[in-house]
Amino acid sequence: MKTLEEMKEYLKKENAEYLLRFYDELSEIEKAELFKQIEHIDFELMKKLYDSRNIPPIKNKKIENITHEILEKIPQEERKKYCERGEELLRSNKVAVCQMAGGQGTRLGYNGPKGTFEVNLKEPKTIFEIFADKLKESCEKYNVNIPWYIMTSKENNDETISFFEQHNYFEYGKENIKFFIQRELPLLDYDGNFIFAEKSKIFMAANGNGGIYEALHRENILKEMKEKQIDYLAIGNVDNILMDMLEPTFIGMMDLKNKELAVKTVTKVSPEERVGVICKMDGKPGVVEYTEISEEMANMRDEDGNLKFGEAYFGFVMFRRELLDKIVKDLDYRPARKKNSYIDKNGEHITSDVPNTYKFEMFIFDGFEIADDMLALSVKREENFAPIKNKDGVDSPATAIDLYNNYYNNKKTENL
Ligand code: UTP
């Protein structure tokens, strides 16, 4: 470890001596922790990311439309074939699920991992419990134990695990659930300075859901899948309470069409809707964010009058394991503006009602380019998409609860 003098010298070169601002107030353990944190910072990378914060990552990339299939339009016979194949794969334990739960959930403003947020359904349940119940149904139906991997961040890992412990792993079986931690990066304020979460801690946060690829390798999840002869991994956001991660038709369709990568999509409600859409990027599968698509492109229509870039990626993707094995290098980082409370370089406590920090994130869909093509299956929005992102307004607990209740009430009526 560096001496104090060496550290001062080191930080001077990086113009970041302020990271020792609270040094004298810290305990010996905290001092050592702070040094360790500083030594892990890649100053060159952080400078590069800050300097390129206004350059859209898709600059110079060729964006074209990509074909998709519409579930509703697939003939019944064909669907049945896919469904049977999917069920066969599930029964023979060829599919595992992974939830990405390492996000900060700043928009929801809830104090704790988002999966522990209680949704006020008729019978209130936390998000994790909703997923556990759904997954348990599949395990029972196919008479298997389906591995459930959960990606956390350093920030929320301990809290997530103790939540599962307190709830006896929702009777899913501790041995069937594995938590793994993604890497993190420092946050920066809008002037490009590092900030503090506490006097002894530089503010770090998970490196975006694209951090999943490196974490799956590092934490030996892919190795474990291989040992268990699991061929497919269904990966989804933690915050969509209508997401069915193990729907057999989709799984069977991907398999019978011999695709290594498959996403479900929903059709955009309007050109302005703030969602990322699937596309071809330099000839490979990709997603273009709503912040990055031009107004002209967002409004382009095909000969049938449908939006040319009208299929929204909503955070659910399936990979063949071998494809994940191939994604080894880091993806590009993108700047996300997030609202955080922090201590700034001058020692001031900063809080804000609007985003005030840069978090640099990799996005999972930037890894899709590794595949030559992908299956995109457009499904009914009201059956698949009820996200909890914001505290109120669109995509909030209130809207998600309505969507969830509507779906299950309709299902009940259908079954009568
Ligand atoms: P979001 O983009 O909605 O981000 O994540 P978020 O951090 O949850 O929420 P905000 O933007 O701060 O309000 C989409 C999915 O990706 C996961 C989230 O947990 C969510 O399931 N995610 C996001 C990670 O697992 N790690 C990350 O670093 C970021």
Side-chain angles (χ1 to χ4, degrees):
M1 203 172 77
K2 287 184 168 49
T3 63
L4 179 59
E5 280 318 306
E6 284 167 346
M7 186 55 94
K8 279 184 181 163
E9 216 25 58
Y10 176 64
L11 288 176
K12 200 167 168 188
K13 278 195 229 124
E14 305 295 347
N15 237 338
E17 292 145 288
Y18 61 86
L19 290 178
L20 297 177
R21 163 170 291 274
F22 304 113
Y23 184 80
D24 294 337
E25 300 173 41
L26 307 181
S27 69
E28 289 310 308
I29 294 177
E30 288 172 336
K31 282 177 181 168
E33 276 299 314
L34 179 68
F35 270 38
K36 218 161 92 192
Q37 267 199 310
I38 296 175
E39 279 168 6
H40 273 109
I41 296 178
D42 184 339
F43 285 93
E44 204 182 312
L45 173 69
M46 295 313 297
K47 185 172 174 339
K48 197 176 109 204
L49 294 177
Y50 180 72
D51 289 346
S52 59
R53 68 196 178 281
N54 294 321
I55 304 172
I58 62 157
K59 193 174 169 266
N60 301 330
K61 290 202 173 160
K62 187 168 168 210
I63 311 287
E64 293 166 294
N65 115 357
I66 192 168
T67 51
H68 65 275
E69 309 221 22
I70 301 170
L71 182 62
E72 286 272 277
K73 294 199 174 155
I74 299 175
Q76 204 58 36
E77 266 310 292
E78 202 177 322
R79 271 210 241 178
K80 191 164 161 248
K81 200 176 68 186
Y82 295 144
C83 182
E84 282 168 4
R85 176 61 184 150
E87 293 195 320
E88 202 177 303
L89 289 166
L90 286 162
R91 253 193 308 275
S92 46
N93 225 339
K94 294 289 175 199
V95 187
V97 295
C98 176
Q99 265 185 314
M100 301 184 295
Q104 283 185 293
T106 52
R107 285 169 288 172
L108 183 61
Y110 163 69
N111 190 10
K114 215 190 234 184
T116 68
F117 179 78
E118 188 173 87
V119 189
N120 207 2
L121 303 171
K122 207 156 135 208
E123 184 195 330
K125 280 185 187 182
T126 60
I127 296 182
F128 279 134
E129 190 179 1
I130 295 174
F131 278 99
D133 286 351
K134 193 118 192 87
L135 293 175
K136 272 191 290 187
E137 263 176 38
S138 299
C139 291
E140 272 160 35
K141 183 165 176 200
Y142 303 112
N143 198 20
V144 280
N145 291 321
I146 297 168
W148 181 11
Y149 299 113
I150 299 176
M151 181 168 81
T152 60
S153 57
K154 263 197 177 158
E155 202 180 344
N156 72 16
N157 181 64
D158 292 354
E159 214 180 323
T160 305
I161 295 179
S162 47
F163 186 77
F164 271 77
E165 271 166 8
Q166 278 159 31
H167 293 86
N168 197 25
Y169 294 81
F170 302 104
E171 324 304 330
Y172 195 78
K174 183 178 175 180
E175 63 289 358
N176 301 316
I177 302 179
K178 185 163 177 176
F179 301 92
F180 65 105
I181 306 180
Q182 64 176 116
R183 289 236 158 92
E184 55 180 14
L185 273 190
L187 296 189
L188 299 179
D189 68 14
Y190 278 5
D191 295 323
N193 300 304
F194 296 98
I195 55 180
F196 294 89
E198 296 162 28
K199 286 185 173 176
S200 61
K201 253 198 205 143
I202 297 169
F203 207 137
M204 312 277 276
N207 60 356
N209 58 28
I212 190 169
Y213 299 114
E214 180 272 336
L216 285 172
H217 281 274
R218 178 174 38 81
E219 299 255 4
N220 292 324
I221 307 288
L222 298 178
K223 190 164 162 242
E224 180 182 298
M225 282 177 61
K226 191 170 181 192
E227 280 161 11
K228 292 185 170 170
Q229 299 182 351
I230 295 171
D231 294 333
Y232 290 100
L233 187 62
I235 304 177
N237 287 356
V238 74
D239 50 21
N240 174 8
I241 58 172
L242 267 187
M243 188 155 58
D244 185 351
M245 315 242 331
L246 293 170
E247 198 278 299
T249 309
F250 178 67
I251 298 171
M253 187 169 176
M254 171 178 189
D255 185 75
L256 289 177
K257 286 186 173 270
N258 207 10
K259 303 284 182 181
E260 292 185 299
L261 174 71
V263 294
K264 280 189 189 173
T265 60
V266 291
T267 306
K268 267 173 92 167
V269 285
S270 68
E272 295 77 34
E273 194 187 2
R274 292 153 68 95
V275 282
V277 290
I278 54 164
C279 66
K280 260 193 199 157
M281 222 178 251
D282 284 347
K284 295 300 188 83
V287 170
V288 52
E289 274 283 64
Y290 64 88
T291 43
E292 293 166 354
I293 192 168
S294 66
E295 201 183 321
E296 188 198 342
M297 274 176 106
N299 281 284
M300 278 181 188
R301 294 194 181 260
D302 62 18
E303 50 284 5
D304 298 325
N306 299 315
L307 291 174
K308 237 177 160 178
F309 296 93
E311 289 301 313
Y313 166 75
F314 60 89
F316 178 69
V317 52
M318 260 186 87
F319 282 89
R320 261 195 89 88
R321 195 195 65 240
E322 285 95 343
L323 189 62
L324 289 168
D325 278 332
K326 288 187 210 158
I327 309 182
V328 281
K329 71 172 177 55
D330 266 6
L331 311 171
D332 286 340
Y333 282 93
R334 298 163 186 236
R337 292 179 170 83
K338 302 262 178 176
K339 184 173 75 179
N340 280 297
S341 302
Y342 63 90
I343 304 173
D344 75 1
K345 66 182 277 199
N346 302 316
E348 304 279 340
H349 284 260
I350 308 288
T351 52
S352 169
D353 291 332
V354 289
N356 59 350
T357 53
Y358 283 115
K359 178 179 182 231
F360 295 94
E361 298 188 313
M362 293 185 274
F363 287 175
I364 185 169
F365 50 69
D366 282 333
F368 294 178
E369 64 176 22
I370 191 84
D372 287 327
D373 67 351
M374 77 174 168
L375 165 69
L377 183 65
S378 181
V379 293
K380 279 191 185 165
R381 180 182 279 255
E382 63 275 21
E383 294 178 0
N384 289 275
F385 191 42
I388 298 183
K389 296 280 183 199
N390 303 310
K391 201 172 174 158
D392 25 52
V394 286
D395 299 343
S396 63
T399 56
I401 290 166
D402 278 351
L403 288 163
Y404 187 94
N405 288 338
N406 280 345
Y407 173 66
Y408 282 100
N409 289 339
N410 288 342
K411 234 179 151 185
K412 249 189 245 154
T413 330
E414 273 167 30
N415 291 339
L416 283 179

